[in-house]
């Protein structure tokens, strides 16, 4: 096979950075992914500087959060299930935007760039922790070894976005240690409270809110994401941090996943996910 200009063979490009045998494909193609994504956003909002960047530079986020949510999900799907070429193009677009943006966060007084490595690492760790945590509690069959493999696989995603490989946690234990170390920096700022409201009660046209089931459906999804936050994060948002909440949330999440699994397979996740599965099902290029 002739190597691509990037140095990848056509087969490596076709399989992407993770491939169908990875734990990442199992976690990211499960219906629980949507709840994990919302949990990640709520967790990310607790970092004052990272949240300031979202509030300032995610155009229209306060009025229309949907486009940002869709862009984020599309990015993760492309990085996971796209070819290596598609993934690198998606990363290049994001990094090109990041490197132009920066500001000073008022509560900390910190001047930052959106692509500061510690901010990128925070966003990465919130995503990895949330998607893995929610998948396991939803009932995706993952052993402790699988969980460690998933965190280690996602180091590649961290490196692509600009995080030094040695700085990204590569196991569940290392991920937990990262959160323990960063917690003193976290706070619920005004921007975080705005983000919480936008996730839990997003703006909708009046006719959609009252004449369709959209508000109720979204409310249930958001409530699940909130209930699945770590106890310490729920307490920061002035919400119950009790073990009873955890047990109820796990039961509700499992029921949610089982409901979605009854839908036609193509309705369970995005077209990018299924395009990836279709592509690897084809015969390798000669």
């Amino acid at each position: 096979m002739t190597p691509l200009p990037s140095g990848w063979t056509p087969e490596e490009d076709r399989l992407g950075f993770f491939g169908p045998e990875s734990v990442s494909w199992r976690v990211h193609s499960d219906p629980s992914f949507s709840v994990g994504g919302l949990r990640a956003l709520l967790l990310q909002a607790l970092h004052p500087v990272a949240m300031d960047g979202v509030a300032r530079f995610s155009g229209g986020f306060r009025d229309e959060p949907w486009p940002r949510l869709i862009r984020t999900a599309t990015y993760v799907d492309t990085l996971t299930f796209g070819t290596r070429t598609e993934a690198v193009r998606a990363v290049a677009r994001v990094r090109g935007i990041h490197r132009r943006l920066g500001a000073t966060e008022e509560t900390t007084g910190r001047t930052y760039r959106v692509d500061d490595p510690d901010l990128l690492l925070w966003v990465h760790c919130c995503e990895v922790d949330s998607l893995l945590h929610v998948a396991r509690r939803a009932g995706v069959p993952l052993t402790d070894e699988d969980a460690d493999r998933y965190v280690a696989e996602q180091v590649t995603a961290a490196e692509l976005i600009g995080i030094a490989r040695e700085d990204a946690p590569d196991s569940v234990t290392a991920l937990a240690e990262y959160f323990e170390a960063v917690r003193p920096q976290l706070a619920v700022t005004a921007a975080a409270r705005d983000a919480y409201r936008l996730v839990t009660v997003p703006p909708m046209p009046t006719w959609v809110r009252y004449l369709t089931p959209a508000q109720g459906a979204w409310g249930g999804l958001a409530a699940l994401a909130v209930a699945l936050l770590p106890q310490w994060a729920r307490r920061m948002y002035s919400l119950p941090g009790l073990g009873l909440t955890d047990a109820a949330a796990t039961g509700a999440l499992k029921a949610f996943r089982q409901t979605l699994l009854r839908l036609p397979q193509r309705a369970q996740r995005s077209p990018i996910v299924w395009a990836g599965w279709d592509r690897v099902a084809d015969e390798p290029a000669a």
Side-chain angles (χ1 to χ4, degrees):
M1 292 185 288
T2 303
L4 299 176
S6 60
W8 306 316
T9 65
E11 178 66 0
E12 287 171 331
D13 188 54
R14 184 178 75 94
L15 293 176
F17 282 106
F18 302 98
E21 301 304 317
S22 68
V23 182
S24 294
W25 275 45
R26 289 164 58 192
V27 171
H28 292 188
S29 64
D30 192 80
S32 63
F33 177 91
S34 57
V35 182
L38 286 182
R39 180 191 188 269
L41 290 176
L42 291 165
L43 200 54
Q44 289 164 7
L46 293 174
H47 193 299
V49 183
M51 187 60 232
D52 189 75
V54 172
R56 287 178 188 270
F57 302 118
S58 289
F61 181 60
R62 291 173 183 269
D63 300 319
E64 292 186 285
W66 311 108
R68 182 179 186 272
L69 297 176
I70 292 169
R71 287 195 303 270
T72 300
T74 299
Y75 172 81
V76 175
D77 283 348
T78 302
L79 195 62
T80 309
F81 297 96
T83 64
R84 291 192 178 192
T85 300
E86 291 167 342
V88 166
R89 285 174 182 161
V91 169
R93 284 194 296 270
V94 172
R95 294 187 71 167
I97 294 168
H98 283 177
R99 71 171 58 99
R100 299 194 301 267
L101 304 176
T104 299
E105 199 279 318
E106 292 182 0
T107 65
T108 61
R110 172 177 164 181
T111 298
Y112 67 93
R113 284 169 41 123
V114 171
D115 61 358
D116 282 349
D118 69 308
L119 302 182
L120 295 175
L121 182 60
W122 168 251
V123 172
H124 168 79
C125 288
C126 288
E127 179 185 296
V128 171
D129 181 76
S130 292
L131 295 177
L132 176 62
H133 180 85
V134 169
R136 298 191 84 179
R137 285 178 65 178
V140 179
L142 297 167
T143 65
D144 290 345
E145 181 181 355
D146 290 333
D148 279 334
R149 272 187 57 201
Y150 173 72
V151 179
E153 288 170 3
Q154 287 301 303
V155 172
T156 296
E159 189 174 30
L160 285 168
I161 201 61
I163 300 164
R165 191 171 189 89
E166 60 271 18
D167 290 339
D170 60 0
S171 68
V172 171
T173 297
L175 189 60
E177 290 172 348
Y178 167 81
F179 279 104
E180 192 64 29
V182 81
R183 277 178 59 183
Q185 302 174 38
L186 307 182
V188 180
T189 61
R193 293 199 181 279
D194 285 345
Y196 177 86
R197 284 191 292 270
L198 283 168
V199 169
T200 55
V201 190
M204 295 180 183
T206 302
W207 72 270
V208 172
R209 187 177 298 279
Y210 294 110
L211 298 180
T212 75
Q215 182 175 0
W218 183 266
L221 190 67
L224 260 182
V226 171
L228 291 164
L229 284 167
Q231 292 183 16
W232 58 262
R234 295 203 305 269
R235 287 193 290 266
M236 288 184 70
Y237 278 120
S238 300
L239 298 167
L242 306 175
L244 181 63
T245 303
D246 290 331
T250 299
L253 177 63
K254 287 182 176 178
F256 169 80
R257 177 174 181 263
Q258 289 303 314
T259 298
L260 291 188
L261 286 173
R262 296 188 187 100
L263 296 175
Q265 191 177 59
R266 295 278 166 171
Q268 293 175 21
R269 289 291 285 113
S270 80
I272 297 172
V273 174
W274 300 120
W277 283 107
D278 289 343
R279 187 182 66 254
V280 300
D282 294 337
E283 287 297 320

mmCIF file with all atom_site columns, all heavy atoms in Angstrom, residues 220-242:
data_model
loop_
_atom_site.group_PDB
_atom_site.id
_atom_site.type_symbol
_atom_site.label_atom_id
_atom_site.label_alt_id
_atom_site.label_comp_id
_atom_site.label_asym_id
_atom_site.label_entity_id
_atom_site.label_seq_id
_atom_site.pdbx_PDB_ins_code
_atom_site.Cartn_x
_atom_site.Cartn_y
_atom_site.Cartn_z
_atom_site.occupancy
_atom_site.B_iso_or_equiv
_atom_site.pdbx_formal_charge
_atom_site.auth_seq_id
_atom_site.auth_comp_id
_atom_site.auth_asym_id
_atom_site.auth_atom_id
_atom_site.pdbx_PDB_model_num
ATOM 1   N N   . GLY A 1 220 ? -35.913 15.864 30.940 1.00 0.00 ? 220 GLY A N   1
ATOM 2   C CA  . GLY A 1 220 ? -35.532 14.572 31.498 1.00 0.00 ? 220 GLY A CA  1
ATOM 3   C C   . GLY A 1 220 ? -34.077 14.244 31.249 1.00 0.00 ? 220 GLY A C   1
ATOM 4   O O   . GLY A 1 220 ? -33.377 13.743 32.135 1.00 0.00 ? 220 GLY A O   1
ATOM 5   N N   . LEU A 1 221 ? -33.603 14.546 30.038 1.00 0.00 ? 221 LEU A N   1
ATOM 6   C CA  . LEU A 1 221 ? -32.207 14.304 29.696 1.00 0.00 ? 221 LEU A CA  1
ATOM 7   C C   . LEU A 1 221 ? -31.275 15.148 30.559 1.00 0.00 ? 221 LEU A C   1
ATOM 8   O O   . LEU A 1 221 ? -30.283 14.661 31.104 1.00 0.00 ? 221 LEU A O   1
ATOM 9   C CB  . LEU A 1 221 ? -31.995 14.634 28.217 1.00 0.00 ? 221 LEU A CB  1
ATOM 10  C CG  . LEU A 1 221 ? -30.663 14.243 27.576 1.00 0.00 ? 221 LEU A CG  1
ATOM 11  C CD1 . LEU A 1 221 ? -30.526 12.730 27.513 1.00 0.00 ? 221 LEU A CD1 1
ATOM 12  C CD2 . LEU A 1 221 ? -30.560 14.842 26.175 1.00 0.00 ? 221 LEU A CD2 1
ATOM 13  N N   . ALA A 1 222 ? -31.613 16.444 30.697 1.00 0.00 ? 222 ALA A N   1
ATOM 14  C CA  . ALA A 1 222 ? -30.774 17.343 31.488 1.00 0.00 ? 222 ALA A CA  1
ATOM 15  C C   . ALA A 1 222 ? -30.783 16.954 32.963 1.00 0.00 ? 222 ALA A C   1
ATOM 16  O O   . ALA A 1 222 ? -29.753 17.023 33.640 1.00 0.00 ? 222 ALA A O   1
ATOM 17  C CB  . ALA A 1 222 ? -31.257 18.781 31.312 1.00 0.00 ? 222 ALA A CB  1
ATOM 18  N N   . ALA A 1 223 ? -31.955 16.567 33.473 1.00 0.00 ? 223 ALA A N   1
ATOM 19  C CA  . ALA A 1 223 ? -32.039 16.163 34.881 1.00 0.00 ? 223 ALA A CA  1
ATOM 20  C C   . ALA A 1 223 ? -31.145 14.959 35.153 1.00 0.00 ? 223 ALA A C   1
ATOM 21  O O   . ALA A 1 223 ? -30.502 14.864 36.203 1.00 0.00 ? 223 ALA A O   1
ATOM 22  C CB  . ALA A 1 223 ? -33.486 15.855 35.248 1.00 0.00 ? 223 ALA A CB  1
ATOM 23  N N   . LEU A 1 224 ? -31.093 14.038 34.200 1.00 0.00 ? 224 LEU A N   1
ATOM 24  C CA  . LEU A 1 224 ? -30.215 12.883 34.346 1.00 0.00 ? 224 LEU A CA  1
ATOM 25  C C   . LEU A 1 224 ? -28.753 13.318 34.411 1.00 0.00 ? 224 LEU A C   1
ATOM 26  O O   . LEU A 1 224 ? -27.986 12.849 35.258 1.00 0.00 ? 224 LEU A O   1
ATOM 27  C CB  . LEU A 1 224 ? -30.400 11.948 33.153 1.00 0.00 ? 224 LEU A CB  1
ATOM 28  C CG  . LEU A 1 224 ? -31.288 10.727 33.327 1.00 0.00 ? 224 LEU A CG  1
ATOM 29  C CD1 . LEU A 1 224 ? -31.305 9.907  32.042 1.00 0.00 ? 224 LEU A CD1 1
ATOM 30  C CD2 . LEU A 1 224 ? -30.826 9.872  34.491 1.00 0.00 ? 224 LEU A CD2 1
ATOM 31  N N   . ALA A 1 225 ? -28.377 14.221 33.498 1.00 0.00 ? 225 ALA A N   1
ATOM 32  C CA  . ALA A 1 225 ? -26.991 14.688 33.473 1.00 0.00 ? 225 ALA A CA  1
ATOM 33  C C   . ALA A 1 225 ? -26.603 15.350 34.785 1.00 0.00 ? 225 ALA A C   1
ATOM 34  O O   . ALA A 1 225 ? -25.510 15.138 35.309 1.00 0.00 ? 225 ALA A O   1
ATOM 35  C CB  . ALA A 1 225 ? -26.793 15.663 32.310 1.00 0.00 ? 225 ALA A CB  1
ATOM 36  N N   . VAL A 1 226 ? -27.497 16.149 35.344 1.00 0.00 ? 226 VAL A N   1
ATOM 37  C CA  . VAL A 1 226 ? -27.235 16.821 36.619 1.00 0.00 ? 226 VAL A CA  1
ATOM 38  C C   . VAL A 1 226 ? -27.079 15.785 37.731 1.00 0.00 ? 226 VAL A C   1
ATOM 39  O O   . VAL A 1 226 ? -26.150 15.849 38.539 1.00 0.00 ? 226 VAL A O   1
ATOM 40  C CB  . VAL A 1 226 ? -28.368 17.803 36.950 1.00 0.00 ? 226 VAL A CB  1
ATOM 41  C CG1 . VAL A 1 226 ? -28.219 18.330 38.375 1.00 0.00 ? 226 VAL A CG1 1
ATOM 42  C CG2 . VAL A 1 226 ? -28.389 18.964 35.957 1.00 0.00 ? 226 VAL A CG2 1
ATOM 43  N N   . ALA A 1 227 ? -27.987 14.819 37.773 1.00 0.00 ? 227 ALA A N   1
ATOM 44  C CA  . ALA A 1 227 ? -27.962 13.818 38.844 1.00 0.00 ? 227 ALA A CA  1
ATOM 45  C C   . ALA A 1 227 ? -26.730 12.933 38.781 1.00 0.00 ? 227 ALA A C   1
ATOM 46  O O   . ALA A 1 227 ? -26.316 12.356 39.788 1.00 0.00 ? 227 ALA A O   1
ATOM 47  C CB  . ALA A 1 227 ? -29.228 12.965 38.773 1.00 0.00 ? 227 ALA A CB  1
ATOM 48  N N   . LEU A 1 228 ? -26.119 12.833 37.599 1.00 0.00 ? 228 LEU A N   1
ATOM 49  C CA  . LEU A 1 228 ? -24.952 11.972 37.425 1.00 0.00 ? 228 LEU A CA  1
ATOM 50  C C   . LEU A 1 228 ? -23.630 12.689 37.668 1.00 0.00 ? 228 LEU A C   1
ATOM 51  O O   . LEU A 1 228 ? -22.562 12.075 37.589 1.00 0.00 ? 228 LEU A O   1
ATOM 52  C CB  . LEU A 1 228 ? -24.959 11.378 36.008 1.00 0.00 ? 228 LEU A CB  1
ATOM 53  C CG  . LEU A 1 228 ? -26.080 10.361 35.760 1.00 0.00 ? 228 LEU A CG  1
ATOM 54  C CD1 . LEU A 1 228 ? -26.265 10.132 34.271 1.00 0.00 ? 228 LEU A CD1 1
ATOM 55  C CD2 . LEU A 1 228 ? -25.804 9.042  36.469 1.00 0.00 ? 228 LEU A CD2 1
ATOM 56  N N   . LEU A 1 229 ? -23.683 13.983 37.975 1.00 0.00 ? 229 LEU A N   1
ATOM 57  C CA  . LEU A 1 229 ? -22.468 14.701 38.340 1.00 0.00 ? 229 LEU A CA  1
ATOM 58  C C   . LEU A 1 229 ? -21.870 14.115 39.620 1.00 0.00 ? 229 LEU A C   1
ATOM 59  O O   . LEU A 1 229 ? -22.595 13.538 40.439 1.00 0.00 ? 229 LEU A O   1
ATOM 60  C CB  . LEU A 1 229 ? -22.777 16.181 38.577 1.00 0.00 ? 229 LEU A CB  1
ATOM 61  C CG  . LEU A 1 229 ? -23.010 17.060 37.350 1.00 0.00 ? 229 LEU A CG  1
ATOM 62  C CD1 . LEU A 1 229 ? -23.603 18.403 37.780 1.00 0.00 ? 229 LEU A CD1 1
ATOM 63  C CD2 . LEU A 1 229 ? -21.725 17.262 36.563 1.00 0.00 ? 229 LEU A CD2 1
ATOM 64  N N   . PRO A 1 230 ? -20.566 14.264 39.824 1.00 0.00 ? 230 PRO A N   1
ATOM 65  C CA  . PRO A 1 230 ? -19.991 13.840 41.105 1.00 0.00 ? 230 PRO A CA  1
ATOM 66  C C   . PRO A 1 230 ? -20.688 14.552 42.262 1.00 0.00 ? 230 PRO A C   1
ATOM 67  O O   . PRO A 1 230 ? -21.177 15.682 42.099 1.00 0.00 ? 230 PRO A O   1
ATOM 68  C CB  . PRO A 1 230 ? -18.528 14.292 40.998 1.00 0.00 ? 230 PRO A CB  1
ATOM 69  C CG  . PRO A 1 230 ? -18.268 14.478 39.548 1.00 0.00 ? 230 PRO A CG  1
ATOM 70  C CD  . PRO A 1 230 ? -19.562 14.884 38.928 1.00 0.00 ? 230 PRO A CD  1
ATOM 71  N N   . GLN A 1 231 ? -20.730 13.922 43.408 1.00 0.00 ? 231 GLN A N   1
ATOM 72  C CA  . GLN A 1 231 ? -21.401 14.526 44.553 1.00 0.00 ? 231 GLN A CA  1
ATOM 73  C C   . GLN A 1 231 ? -20.834 15.906 44.872 1.00 0.00 ? 231 GLN A C   1
ATOM 74  O O   . GLN A 1 231 ? -21.569 16.840 45.173 1.00 0.00 ? 231 GLN A O   1
ATOM 75  C CB  . GLN A 1 231 ? -21.306 13.598 45.763 1.00 0.00 ? 231 GLN A CB  1
ATOM 76  C CG  . GLN A 1 231 ? -22.112 12.317 45.616 1.00 0.00 ? 231 GLN A CG  1
ATOM 77  C CD  . GLN A 1 231 ? -22.065 11.445 46.856 1.00 0.00 ? 231 GLN A CD  1
ATOM 78  O OE1 . GLN A 1 231 ? -21.691 11.902 47.937 1.00 0.00 ? 231 GLN A OE1 1
ATOM 79  N NE2 . GLN A 1 231 ? -22.464 10.190 46.716 1.00 0.00 ? 231 GLN A NE2 1
ATOM 80  N N   . TRP A 1 232 ? -19.502 16.046 44.793 1.00 0.00 ? 232 TRP A N   1
ATOM 81  C CA  . TRP A 1 232 ? -18.897 17.345 45.114 1.00 0.00 ? 232 TRP A CA  1
ATOM 82  C C   . TRP A 1 232 ? -19.330 18.425 44.118 1.00 0.00 ? 232 TRP A C   1
ATOM 83  O O   . TRP A 1 232 ? -19.494 19.588 44.493 1.00 0.00 ? 232 TRP A O   1
ATOM 84  C CB  . TRP A 1 232 ? -17.378 17.235 45.176 1.00 0.00 ? 232 TRP A CB  1
ATOM 85  C CG  . TRP A 1 232 ? -16.695 16.730 43.932 1.00 0.00 ? 232 TRP A CG  1
ATOM 86  C CD1 . TRP A 1 232 ? -16.276 15.451 43.678 1.00 0.00 ? 232 TRP A CD1 1
ATOM 87  C CD2 . TRP A 1 232 ? -16.339 17.491 42.765 1.00 0.00 ? 232 TRP A CD2 1
ATOM 88  N NE1 . TRP A 1 232 ? -15.684 15.360 42.445 1.00 0.00 ? 232 TRP A NE1 1
ATOM 89  C CE2 . TRP A 1 232 ? -15.689 16.605 41.862 1.00 0.00 ? 232 TRP A CE2 1
ATOM 90  C CE3 . TRP A 1 232 ? -16.477 18.832 42.411 1.00 0.00 ? 232 TRP A CE3 1
ATOM 91  C CZ2 . TRP A 1 232 ? -15.210 17.015 40.611 1.00 0.00 ? 232 TRP A CZ2 1
ATOM 92  C CZ3 . TRP A 1 232 ? -15.997 19.238 41.163 1.00 0.00 ? 232 TRP A CZ3 1
ATOM 93  C CH2 . TRP A 1 232 ? -15.377 18.351 40.283 1.00 0.00 ? 232 TRP A CH2 1
ATOM 94  N N   . ALA A 1 233 ? -19.530 18.044 42.852 1.00 0.00 ? 233 ALA A N   1
ATOM 95  C CA  . ALA A 1 233 ? -19.961 19.018 41.851 1.00 0.00 ? 233 ALA A CA  1
ATOM 96  C C   . ALA A 1 233 ? -21.416 19.415 42.072 1.00 0.00 ? 233 ALA A C   1
ATOM 97  O O   . ALA A 1 233 ? -21.777 20.594 41.924 1.00 0.00 ? 233 ALA A O   1
ATOM 98  C CB  . ALA A 1 233 ? -19.773 18.447 40.449 1.00 0.00 ? 233 ALA A CB  1
ATOM 99  N N   . ARG A 1 234 ? -22.268 18.443 42.430 1.00 0.00 ? 234 ARG A N   1
ATOM 100 C CA  . ARG A 1 234 ? -23.670 18.779 42.717 1.00 0.00 ? 234 ARG A CA  1
ATOM 101 C C   . ARG A 1 234 ? -23.755 19.739 43.891 1.00 0.00 ? 234 ARG A C   1
ATOM 102 O O   . ARG A 1 234 ? -24.552 20.693 43.881 1.00 0.00 ? 234 ARG A O   1
ATOM 103 C CB  . ARG A 1 234 ? -24.474 17.503 42.993 1.00 0.00 ? 234 ARG A CB  1
ATOM 104 C CG  . ARG A 1 234 ? -24.578 16.569 41.802 1.00 0.00 ? 234 ARG A CG  1
ATOM 105 C CD  . ARG A 1 234 ? -25.775 15.640 41.899 1.00 0.00 ? 234 ARG A CD  1
ATOM 106 N NE  . ARG A 1 234 ? -25.830 14.864 43.112 1.00 0.00 ? 234 ARG A NE  1
ATOM 107 C CZ  . ARG A 1 234 ? -25.283 13.646 43.257 1.00 0.00 ? 234 ARG A CZ  1
ATOM 108 N NH1 . ARG A 1 234 ? -24.600 13.098 42.254 1.00 0.00 ? 234 ARG A NH1 1
ATOM 109 N NH2 . ARG A 1 234 ? -25.398 12.989 44.375 1.00 0.00 ? 234 ARG A NH2 1
ATOM 110 N N   . ARG A 1 235 ? -22.926 19.506 44.906 1.00 0.00 ? 235 ARG A N   1
ATOM 111 C CA  . ARG A 1 235 ? -22.954 20.402 46.070 1.00 0.00 ? 235 ARG A CA  1
ATOM 112 C C   . ARG A 1 235 ? -22.497 21.808 45.683 1.00 0.00 ? 235 ARG A C   1
ATOM 113 O O   . ARG A 1 235 ? -23.016 22.794 46.213 1.00 0.00 ? 235 ARG A O   1
ATOM 114 C CB  . ARG A 1 235 ? -22.094 19.831 47.192 1.00 0.00 ? 235 ARG A CB  1
ATOM 115 C CG  . ARG A 1 235 ? -22.728 18.615 47.890 1.00 0.00 ? 235 ARG A CG  1
ATOM 116 C CD  . ARG A 1 235 ? -22.012 18.270 49.178 1.00 0.00 ? 235 ARG A CD  1
ATOM 117 N NE  . ARG A 1 235 ? -20.688 17.719 48.922 1.00 0.00 ? 235 ARG A NE  1
ATOM 118 C CZ  . ARG A 1 235 ? -20.432 16.407 48.835 1.00 0.00 ? 235 ARG A CZ  1
ATOM 119 N NH1 . ARG A 1 235 ? -21.417 15.528 48.970 1.00 0.00 ? 235 ARG A NH1 1
ATOM 120 N NH2 . ARG A 1 235 ? -19.201 15.988 48.612 1.00 0.00 ? 235 ARG A NH2 1
ATOM 121 N N   . MET A 1 236 ? -21.545 21.910 44.757 1.00 0.00 ? 236 MET A N   1
ATOM 122 C CA  . MET A 1 236 ? -21.115 23.233 44.301 1.00 0.00 ? 236 MET A CA  1
ATOM 123 C C   . MET A 1 236 ? -22.258 23.986 43.642 1.00 0.00 ? 236 MET A C   1
ATOM 124 O O   . MET A 1 236 ? -22.377 25.213 43.760 1.00 0.00 ? 236 MET A O   1
ATOM 125 C CB  . MET A 1 236 ? -19.934 23.105 43.336 1.00 0.00 ? 236 MET A CB  1
ATOM 126 C CG  . MET A 1 236 ? -18.631 22.703 44.005 1.00 0.00 ? 236 MET A CG  1
ATOM 127 S SD  . MET A 1 236 ? -17.226 22.674 42.854 1.00 0.00 ? 236 MET A SD  1
ATOM 128 C CE  . MET A 1 236 ? -17.033 24.444 42.551 1.00 0.00 ? 236 MET A CE  1
ATOM 129 N N   . TYR A 1 237 ? -23.111 23.258 42.936 1.00 0.00 ? 237 TYR A N   1
ATOM 130 C CA  . TYR A 1 237 ? -24.284 23.867 42.298 1.00 0.00 ? 237 TYR A CA  1
ATOM 131 C C   . TYR A 1 237 ? -25.456 24.024 43.277 1.00 0.00 ? 237 TYR A C   1
ATOM 132 O O   . TYR A 1 237 ? -26.570 24.346 42.865 1.00 0.00 ? 237 TYR A O   1
ATOM 133 C CB  . TYR A 1 237 ? -24.741 23.020 41.119 1.00 0.00 ? 237 TYR A CB  1
ATOM 134 C CG  . TYR A 1 237 ? -23.970 23.242 39.838 1.00 0.00 ? 237 TYR A CG  1
ATOM 135 C CD1 . TYR A 1 237 ? -23.280 22.187 39.226 1.00 0.00 ? 237 TYR A CD1 1
ATOM 136 C CD2 . TYR A 1 237 ? -23.958 24.482 39.209 1.00 0.00 ? 237 TYR A CD2 1
ATOM 137 C CE1 . TYR A 1 237 ? -22.592 22.369 38.033 1.00 0.00 ? 237 TYR A CE1 1
ATOM 138 C CE2 . TYR A 1 237 ? -23.274 24.678 38.010 1.00 0.00 ? 237 TYR A CE2 1
ATOM 139 C CZ  . TYR A 1 237 ? -22.590 23.628 37.426 1.00 0.00 ? 237 TYR A CZ  1
ATOM 140 O OH  . TYR A 1 237 ? -21.909 23.819 36.238 1.00 0.00 ? 237 TYR A OH  1
ATOM 141 N N   . SER A 1 238 ? -25.197 23.776 44.583 1.00 0.00 ? 238 SER A N   1
ATOM 142 C CA  . SER A 1 238 ? -26.232 23.868 45.631 1.00 0.00 ? 238 SER A CA  1
ATOM 143 C C   . SER A 1 238 ? -27.345 22.858 45.410 1.00 0.00 ? 238 SER A C   1
ATOM 144 O O   . SER A 1 238 ? -28.526 23.137 45.651 1.00 0.00 ? 238 SER A O   1
ATOM 145 C CB  . SER A 1 238 ? -26.805 25.287 45.697 1.00 0.00 ? 238 SER A CB  1
ATOM 146 O OG  . SER A 1 238 ? -25.792 26.222 45.983 1.00 0.00 ? 238 SER A OG  1
ATOM 147 N N   . LEU A 1 239 ? -26.962 21.666 44.976 1.00 0.00 ? 239 LEU A N   1
ATOM 148 C CA  . LEU A 1 239 ? -27.907 20.581 44.759 1.00 0.00 ? 239 LEU A CA  1
ATOM 149 C C   . LEU A 1 239 ? -27.575 19.436 45.710 1.00 0.00 ? 239 LEU A C   1
ATOM 150 O O   . LEU A 1 239 ? -26.466 19.362 46.245 1.00 0.00 ? 239 LEU A O   1
ATOM 151 C CB  . LEU A 1 239 ? -27.809 20.082 43.311 1.00 0.00 ? 239 LEU A CB  1
ATOM 152 C CG  . LEU A 1 239 ? -28.161 21.107 42.240 1.00 0.00 ? 239 LEU A CG  1
ATOM 153 C CD1 . LEU A 1 239 ? -27.710 20.600 40.876 1.00 0.00 ? 239 LEU A CD1 1
ATOM 154 C CD2 . LEU A 1 239 ? -29.646 21.395 42.241 1.00 0.00 ? 239 LEU A CD2 1
ATOM 155 N N   . PRO A 1 240 ? -28.534 18.508 45.946 1.00 0.00 ? 240 PRO A N   1
ATOM 156 C CA  . PRO A 1 240 ? -28.253 17.392 46.849 1.00 0.00 ? 240 PRO A CA  1
ATOM 157 C C   . PRO A 1 240 ? -27.072 16.559 46.368 1.00 0.00 ? 240 PRO A C   1
ATOM 158 O O   . PRO A 1 240 ? -26.961 16.248 45.181 1.00 0.00 ? 240 PRO A O   1
ATOM 159 C CB  . PRO A 1 240 ? -29.554 16.576 46.810 1.00 0.00 ? 240 PRO A CB  1
ATOM 160 C CG  . PRO A 1 240 ? -30.600 17.545 46.381 1.00 0.00 ? 240 PRO A CG  1
ATOM 161 C CD  . PRO A 1 240 ? -29.917 18.491 45.449 1.00 0.00 ? 240 PRO A CD  1
ATOM 162 N N   . GLY A 1 241 ? -26.200 16.212 47.299 1.00 0.00 ? 241 GLY A N   1
ATOM 163 C CA  . GLY A 1 241 ? -25.052 15.363 46.974 1.00 0.00 ? 241 GLY A CA  1
ATOM 164 C C   . GLY A 1 241 ? -25.141 14.060 47.723 1.00 0.00 ? 241 GLY A C   1
ATOM 165 O O   . GLY A 1 241 ? -24.141 13.579 48.261 1.00 0.00 ? 241 GLY A O   1
ATOM 166 N N   . LEU A 1 242 ? -26.326 13.472 47.791 1.00 0.00 ? 242 LEU A N   1
ATOM 167 C CA  . LEU A 1 242 ? -26.570 12.284 48.607 1.00 0.00 ? 242 LEU A CA  1
ATOM 168 C C   . LEU A 1 242 ? -26.413 11.002 47.797 1.00 0.00 ? 242 LEU A C   1
ATOM 169 O O   . LEU A 1 242 ? -26.663 10.978 46.584 1.00 0.00 ? 242 LEU A O   1
ATOM 170 C CB  . LEU A 1 242 ? -27.992 12.334 49.191 1.00 0.00 ? 242 LEU A CB  1
ATOM 171 C CG  . LEU A 1 242 ? -28.346 13.605 49.979 1.00 0.00 ? 242 LEU A CG  1
ATOM 172 C CD1 . LEU A 1 242 ? -29.803 13.570 50.388 1.00 0.00 ? 242 LEU A CD1 1
ATOM 173 C CD2 . LEU A 1 242 ? -27.444 13.740 51.198 1.00 0.00 ? 242 LEU A CD2 1
#
